[in-house]
Amino acid sequence: MELTPAHLRYLLAIYEVSQTHLDISSRSIAEKLGVTKPSVVRVLNLLMERGMIVKEYYGKIYLTSRGIFVAREVKKQLDEVLAHFPPVEEELTDEERLTAALALTAALPERVFTGRYDQLMGAEEASSAAG
């Protein structure tokens, strides 16, 4: 299953919160996104399965190196889509533009965001195994 716009939104929210807070919780993500804590837990579980976050037993959330890399790649691609957003007949709010840009970004194959990381880590793991 590919990352959806919702998954990207959560990953970016975790990344943004991590820039200013050491401790990230499900509640802080729920508040930032204006969603319920149970919906945060579902997405966090998927991001954990993808190796992008670690959720400690006591509830603290941390981005892994893979999660940081992917969040940066997603942010870079999202900014690119927003910078070149096609004109539409109806005026869009900033939130509508962001939602559409996230949908376009999420339509890209996940390897666009993870491929370079996997190549770098694969090469690093191979060299550390050989050394």
Side-chain angles (χ1 to χ4, degrees), residues 80-130:
E80 191 69 22
V81 170
L82 285 168
H84 298 93
F85 200 83
V88 291
E89 216 171 279
E90 231 5 80
E91 185 74 27
L92 297 177
T93 66
D94 288 345
E95 184 60 28
E96 289 169 333
R97 283 174 48 91
L98 177 61
T99 298
L102 275 168
L104 289 169
T105 302
L108 294 168
E110 191 172 329
R111 72 181 180 327
V112 169
F113 311 116
T114 61
R116 221 164 36 115
Y117 179 85
D118 293 342
Q119 286 176 340
L120 291 169
M121 290 300 109
E124 212 171 272
E125 288 172 10
S127 69
S128 65

Side-chain angles (χ1 to χ4, degrees), residues 3-76:
L3 293 172
T4 68
H7 300 145
L8 298 183
R9 188 180 289 267
Y10 280 77
L11 181 63
L12 290 172
I14 295 165
Y15 179 70
E16 288 171 14
V17 171
S18 75
Q19 301 302 296
T20 56
H21 296 82
L22 292 176
D23 292 335
I24 306 168
S25 66
S26 299
R27 186 175 64 229
S28 65
I29 299 305
E31 288 171 4
K32 179 167 181 58
L33 294 174
V35 296
T36 64
K37 195 174 167 200
S39 68
V40 172
V41 170
R42 281 192 299 277
V43 174
L44 292 181
N45 287 336
L46 181 127
L47 294 175
M48 276 193 331
E49 289 171 16
R50 291 286 210 297
M52 294 181 197
I53 65 165
V54 173
K55 188 175 175 198
E56 299 291 338
Y57 179 73
Y58 50 88
K60 298 299 177 203
I61 301 161
Y62 303 97
L63 282 166
T64 62
S65 59
R66 178 185 175 91
I68 293 168
F69 186 92
V70 171
R72 286 179 180 160
E73 291 295 307
V74 168
K75 175 96 173 88
K76 186 168 62 175

